[in-house]
Amino acid sequence: MTRSRLLLTALLSLAASTVIAEDRYKVVRPVIIESGIAGQWMMQLGGPVRGQVVRRVEQGQPMRMTQPRRLKRQLAVEPQAQMQQAAYHPERPAVNAIEPQFLPQTLAYETKYKPGTIIIDTNNRFLYLVMSNGQARRYGVGVGKPGFEWAGEHKITRKAEWPEWHPPKEMIEREAAKGHYLPVSMEGGEANPLGARAMYLGSTLYRIHGTNAPWTIGYAVSSGCIRMRNEDVVDLYERVKVGTRVIVL
């Protein structure tokens, strides 16, 4: 009898240990996504998983999450490419990213101004080149940021290809106060903020020019100049001449 009881006790202990061991490996530890890296995780997720992450992060809750199968395969094959994706900054989108309405197009446009006139609608971020037959060529532009808006009428007094950039003294001082140190001058090229072409307006410091930051088209971001994508400013440059009338609204 004693042997039977000892054997039964041993069997029960063994079964309990097995259950405890199995339960231990069933526990899923929550992955807590800190606010600083949440954006990087969400760049790699999609569908309901991404929505779940967003809700949990906003509510300050821990998030149980497993990697999508597709992502696991990519990590196994392309670890370096995946690391680069995690370092992507959403505030600086892909170079070619632009809202469709800001792409060049020819459309109906009734105006009192003669063909060949440039009209810039700063509120809606559009530049119109008036054409004949009640039409215009429309381009998306970036305009002056708050405090740097302006309106008026000028003529194109000079045109330049891949222009040099000479930041005004006021701009250099203003940016230095923010900890941004601008060069006294910069030769033309792809890194130059004036981009591929520049059309100078009257005797002012304002220009219609290209940009090295095409993702800013459609926004109020400049110090008063009208900026365009490089391919768009080249197109406009070939269509206008010195003396063209420019109306800024």
Side-chain angles (χ1 to χ4, degrees), residues 12-231:
L12 289 175
S13 299
L14 179 61
S17 299
T18 303
V19 171
I20 292 172
E22 289 177 353
D23 288 343
R24 180 178 62 184
Y25 291 107
K26 287 181 181 178
V27 174
V28 179
R29 300 297 180 188
V31 177
I32 301 176
I33 303 178
E34 299 176 5
S35 59
I37 62 172
Q40 297 176 4
W41 271 96
M42 288 187 287
M43 288 295 298
Q44 302 176 18
L45 302 177
V49 176
R50 177 171 179 166
Q52 195 175 18
V53 172
V54 173
R55 289 193 296 274
R56 294 276 185 161
V57 171
E58 289 178 348
Q59 297 169 5
Q61 300 178 14
M63 180 65 200
R64 291 190 179 91
M65 180 175 64
T66 57
Q67 290 181 323
R69 293 181 181 177
R70 180 178 62 83
L71 181 58
K72 284 183 178 179
R73 287 199 297 271
Q74 287 181 345
L75 282 170
V77 178
E78 302 175 320
Q80 184 177 0
Q82 200 61 43
M83 288 174 63
Q84 292 175 349
Q85 182 180 7
Y88 179 83
H89 298 291
E91 68 274 13
R92 179 166 293 201
V95 170
N96 292 326
I98 185 173
E99 294 294 330
Q101 69 268 27
F102 296 121
L103 295 174
Q105 55 183 295
T106 299
L107 39 67
Y109 186 72
E110 294 296 333
T111 179
K112 63 182 181 181
Y113 297 109
K114 296 179 180 180
T117 303
I118 291 175
I119 301 173
I120 302 172
D121 180 352
T122 56
N123 287 332
N124 293 305
R125 322 293 199 245
F126 291 126
L127 181 152
Y128 296 88
L129 174 60
V130 180
M131 303 171 68
S132 58
N133 302 321
Q135 293 186 317
R137 180 79 169 163
R138 190 181 78 180
Y139 307 85
V141 296
V143 300
K145 57 191 172 184
F148 292 85
E149 310 97 328
W150 65 279
E153 179 177 337
H154 292 287
K155 289 184 178 180
I156 294 177
T157 51
R158 184 164 75 91
K159 297 169 63 181
E161 298 183 9
W162 295 105
E164 292 185 357
W165 182 44
H166 302 278
K169 179 182 177 182
E170 296 80 6
M171 179 184 289
I172 293 176
E173 293 176 351
R174 185 169 63 246
E175 293 301 315
K178 303 175 185 177
H180 306 152
Y181 299 96
L182 302 179
V184 175
S185 65
M186 179 184 291
E187 64 181 16
E190 293 183 358
N192 192 302
L194 298 184
R197 302 289 187 273
M199 288 157 275
Y200 296 77
L201 304 180
S203 59
T204 72
L205 296 176
Y206 300 130
R207 290 151 291 205
I208 300 171
H209 63 76
T211 183
N212 61 355
W215 56 85
T216 60
I217 300 304
Y219 296 92
V221 289
S222 77
S223 294
C225 285
I226 307 301
R227 64 175 63 174
M228 306 174 69
R229 296 191 311 164
N230 280 337
E231 52 264 57

